[in-house]
Amino acid sequence: MIVGIDLGTTHSAIGVVDSGFPILLADEEGKRIMPSVVWFGMDGAVEVGRKALRRQATDARRVVLSVKRWMGADTILENIGKTPDEVSAEILKELKRIAEWRIGAEVTKAVITVPAYFNDAQRAATKRAGELAGLEVARILNEPTAAALAYGLDKLKNKARVAVYDLGGGTFDLTILEMEDGVFQVLATHGDTRLGGDDVDAMICSWLSAGLEIPGYQRWRFLEEAEKAKRALSDLSEFTLRIPFYDGKNSLEKTITRLDLDAMTKGWIARSLKCCQQAMHDSGLSLNELDAVVLVGGSTRMPAVREAVAEFFQCEVDVTQHPDEAIALGATIQAGVMSGAMRKMVLLDVTPLSLGIETFGGLMNVLISRNTTIPCKAGEMFTNAADSQEKMAIRVLQGEREMARDNWELGKFEVMMEKLPKGHARVGVQFRIDADGILEVLARDTKTGKDTVINIASSAVNVDDAAVEEMVSASVEHAFEDMSERIFTEAKLKADELLPAVEMIMAQGLVEEHERGEIEAAVKEVKATMASGAANALKVAVQRLDSATEAAAARLVEKAMEEALERELGL
Ligand code: AMP
């Protein structure tokens, strides 16, 4: 098992692939996102996350925030006496503890994300932090790549280009990736390590406290309320900030609107767009060469940010993932792919279209129907259509249409069989789809026991979504004609068998006088409906002929048995 970790500047998260699905793990409070904050007590005690954040009010000097900014630097942090990787290790240890508690097993391996612009020293420091926390770092993954994985962009075509706009609490970066043989390459990245949601909190805070005397130790309350207002304005058009007794006697109440915030943050957003411009320039691409633009980082929840980015890139931006969970989710997917846990997902895969073979009259005979969970197998017995047939052609088909010609042919082969009268041969055909979606077709002549096995090269599971959709909608569109053609074909096959048999029964004098009229009328009706092509009418006529000749057919069987018995007894 390998876990995926987003070791962020302001927040961190951990996930694992469970039953083929990537999930983020929540702590005891049910929170999947943990503040990247560590408090080091004088006595050596350590607290991480929300607990450490609470210490900010009482013991700010011993609280470390945004340690990621220091990664790779050869420094000892003031007041704390620790290196940045040692502090990061505490965050990782806490995440590891949460994961082990949730999973109920030891966690030893991790994929950890870093910004695309991190240099070797910063990456090495991150790896070291992992090792200090007791984690073997299976891979250091670029954050924009993780985001692209979370958005499922690895399924885009080769050479697809995506832009990842990541605006978090304290940092911003824009990365342009290009898909190369299933792996994302960084084409360009540009950012600002001093641009993030914290700036907005500070802006609201100074707007709020303008002209007021605020004691230094109360400042965190203003910041907290400012952040609350900012978040609220992502959904609401106005919010009232309240800070009771901020200086012991006075209270503050002030309403801020979305428009106020938009005006305040215009320049701040423009700074991020300048980085986008630079990155686009460095990549040498024009805007219309991008296949997707995705947003990550909590600050991209701000409507003004979304609008500005969409306008800059002149396209719709994908915001379908939780902006603050996307990177951890992508790291988890990467971890799952590396450990093999993600591949198990194939087990839950289903056949997108039905699979079968062509039978008499050009009909599709389904062996495995659409949406069957793989791996799976199914089989059926078939017989010869003509006397002394030497071989049977097996056409493997995929699709939802009733007639073989309207489905896709996946493969074709022949089975040799013993020469027998029509309808006497027995050929078993079995379809087997393994966990990788490979279809194996086995055909066996039960008389000789000889097998013919072929593997179908094109996948029975990986079918282009658009093609599946087209096939399914064609089957719906043609449902009536298709069904009527099947009914007609089946009835005609039956009629082709019945008519000569009826002739023989009549010639052998097995028909009684009172039956003759009905039989002759039924024969006439079958021939007429067959010529007219009316499916249901033919079906009814065939049924009529079948029941009209039932008694005579029974007499034929009886006679044949008597003859056989006489032969056996030598009479
Ligand atoms: P991250 O570093 O990606 O976790 O982003 C954290 C930043 O996103 C912080 O500055 C948060 O205040 C900000 N943020 C989180 N939720 C929202 C929201 N609903 N609206 C605006 N900003 C938000």
Side-chain angles (χ1 to χ4, degrees):
M1 181 185 46
I2 309 180
V3 292
I5 295 177
D6 169 11
L7 184 59
T9 308
T10 52
H11 294 98
S12 296
I14 187 164
V16 72
V17 172
D18 182 10
S19 314
F21 291 99
I23 52 160
L24 299 193
L25 301 165
D27 64 9
E28 287 84 346
E29 292 176 40
K31 302 254 163 67
R32 296 191 294 264
I33 305 286
M34 183 181 88
S36 302
V37 182
V38 189
W39 170 79
F40 292 91
M42 290 294 280
D43 56 356
V46 178
E47 284 176 358
V48 182
R50 256 170 295 282
K51 269 196 207 155
L53 200 56
R54 276 181 224 121
R55 296 273 179 187
Q56 181 75 352
T58 53
D59 194 13
R61 280 162 43 87
R62 303 199 62 83
V63 175
V64 186
L65 296 158
S66 305
V67 67
K68 189 169 174 178
R69 295 187 186 285
W70 300 97
M71 288 302 271
D74 197 10
T75 44
I76 304 269
L77 299 172
E78 218 184 312
N79 301 329
I80 314 289
K82 304 251 179 217
T83 60
D85 34 337
E86 284 169 344
V87 177
S88 283
E90 294 299 336
I91 299 172
L92 293 171
K93 267 190 220 166
E94 176 64 7
L95 292 170
K96 180 175 185 279
R97 185 196 65 75
I98 293 169
E100 288 176 340
W101 170 69
R102 277 283 171 203
I103 300 166
E106 203 192 352
V107 170
T108 56
K109 276 190 175 179
V111 167
I112 304 179
T113 59
V114 295
Y117 58 77
F118 256 27
N119 62 25
D120 286 347
Q122 291 167 306
R123 284 165 198 262
T126 304
K127 204 166 170 201
R128 211 158 43 238
E131 283 155 9
L132 286 174
L135 291 167
E136 182 191 324
V137 181
R139 180 159 309 168
I140 291 286
L141 183 69
N142 282 331
E143 286 163 11
T145 300
L149 289 175
Y151 274 98
L153 300 181
D154 50 321
K155 302 196 177 58
L156 288 177
K157 63 178 194 290
N158 202 26
K159 294 277 170 201
R161 281 96 175 227
V162 300
V164 180
Y165 178 102
D166 182 352
L167 185 57
T171 61
F172 167 71
D173 47 90
L174 189 281
T175 307
I176 295 160
L177 302 170
E178 184 177 68
M179 170 76 101
E180 187 88 61
D181 300 326
V183 181
F184 284 109
Q185 307 288 344
V186 176
L187 284 189
T189 182
H190 221 271
D192 187 334
T193 54
R194 298 277 157 192
L195 183 75
D198 295 350
D199 304 327
V200 180
D201 305 348
M203 283 185 255
I204 299 175
C205 198
S206 43
W207 168 85
L208 185 64
S209 56
L212 298 177
E213 271 307 314
I214 303 161
Y217 69 93
Q218 287 282 12
R219 219 183 121 70
W220 68 269
R221 285 182 67 198
F222 277 71
L223 270 175
E224 224 174 44
E225 191 67 6
E227 206 231 358
K228 202 163 125 193
K230 176 186 73 176
R231 286 175 184 255
L233 290 176
S234 290
D235 298 314
L236 309 171
S237 55
E238 60 172 53
F239 182 82
T240 302
L241 299 105
R242 291 190 179 89
I243 306 188
F245 309 114
Y246 62 87
D247 59 356
K249 40 185 201 300
N250 294 306
S251 297
L252 186 69
E253 195 175 301
K254 216 168 162 183
T255 298
I256 183 169
T257 65
R258 165 100 54 95
L259 291 177
D260 293 333
L261 185 66
D262 288 355
M264 236 181 255
T265 55
K266 223 174 156 76
W268 173 77
I269 294 174
R271 278 170 65 199
S272 80
L273 297 181
K274 241 184 133 85
C275 297
C276 297
Q277 206 160 21
Q278 186 67 47
M280 283 306 296
H281 178 263
D282 292 352
S283 73
L285 297 177
S286 54
L287 292 174
N288 59 18
E289 288 174 285
L290 291 177
D291 296 282
V293 177
V294 300
L295 298 186
V296 284
S299 300
T300 61
R301 284 215 163 91
M302 293 174 67
V305 170
R306 293 183 175 188
E307 283 157 24
V309 176
E311 196 185 332
F312 177 88
F313 286 101
Q314 293 161 29
C315 69
E316 277 190 33
V317 292
D318 196 338
V319 291
T320 52
Q321 294 297 316
H322 269 302
D324 30 30
E325 294 186 356
I327 289 172
L329 197 69
T332 302
I333 292 170
Q334 177 68 45
V337 168
M338 292 175 76
S339 71
M342 207 67 191
R343 226 178 304 135
K344 285 201 193 110
M345 230 166 102
V346 177
L347 293 179
L348 299 172
D349 233 341
V350 296
T351 51
L353 292 170
S354 301
L355 296 158
I357 67 170
E358 174 172 349
T359 56
F360 305 144
L363 289 171
M364 164 77 164
N365 188 308
V366 173
L367 277 116
I368 295 176
S369 57
R370 171 176 150 72
N371 284 335
T372 301
T373 306
I374 65 163
C376 59
K377 66 178 178 187
E380 218 174 294
M381 207 61 94
F382 296 91
T383 188
N384 50 343
D387 286 334
S388 303
Q389 199 177 322
E390 277 179 21
K391 53 193 175 189
M392 186 188 276
I394 309 263
R395 269 184 85 204
V396 181
L397 304 170
Q398 181 169 42
E400 303 311 308
R401 304 291 300 276
E402 298 293 340
M403 303 309 293
R405 59 159 195 267
D406 297 320
N407 291 316
W408 306 327
E409 184 182 289
L410 294 184
K412 193 155 82 171
F413 65 103
E414 284 178 339
V415 211
M416 300 309 291
M417 52 192 202
E418 210 179 316
K419 287 188 193 173
L420 287 168
K422 177 185 171 193
H424 283 247
R426 290 282 174 270
V427 175
V429 176
Q430 188 187 67
F431 277 24
R432 211 171 63 87
I433 305 179
D434 68 12
D436 295 321
I438 307 291
L439 170 64
E440 178 199 88
V441 180
L442 175 147
R444 174 180 300 163
D445 179 354
T446 56
K447 276 267 164 45
T448 62
K450 262 195 82 183
D451 285 346
T452 309
V453 182
I454 64 154
N455 272 305
I456 303 292
S458 52
S459 170
V461 175
N462 278 335
V463 184
D464 181 56
D465 284 349
V468 169
E469 212 166 287
E470 204 173 301
M471 171 58 83
V472 173
S473 61
S475 80
V476 173
E477 195 182 317
H478 300 286
F480 285 109
E481 304 119 76
D482 271 16
M483 201 26 95
S484 124
E485 191 165 0
R486 172 175 282 274
I487 290 171
F488 185 82
T489 309
E490 282 174 351
K492 185 174 176 296
L493 286 168
K494 185 96 198 271
D496 286 344
E497 228 171 76
L498 254 145
L499 289 173
V502 170
E503 236 168 69
M504 190 185 77
I505 290 169
M506 303 256 257
Q508 292 199 8
L510 292 165
V511 173
E512 291 185 1
E513 220 33 59
H514 71 272
E515 293 166 345
R516 189 174 293 275
E518 171 62 8
I519 292 177
E520 279 172 353
V523 166
K524 229 169 120 188
E525 193 187 332
V526 167
K527 286 182 176 163
T529 47
M530 203 141 73
S532 78
N536 277 315
L538 177 61
K539 189 177 169 185
V540 171
V542 168
Q543 276 164 355
R544 178 180 172 189
L545 181 59
D546 201 24
S547 47
T549 53
E550 207 180 339
R555 263 171 245 133
L556 177 71
V557 174
E558 213 171 289
K559 186 169 166 238
M561 276 170 62
E562 264 169 28
E563 283 170 4
L565 198 64
E566 278 170 14
R567 262 202 310 279
E568 214 158 283
L569 295 175
L571 295 172

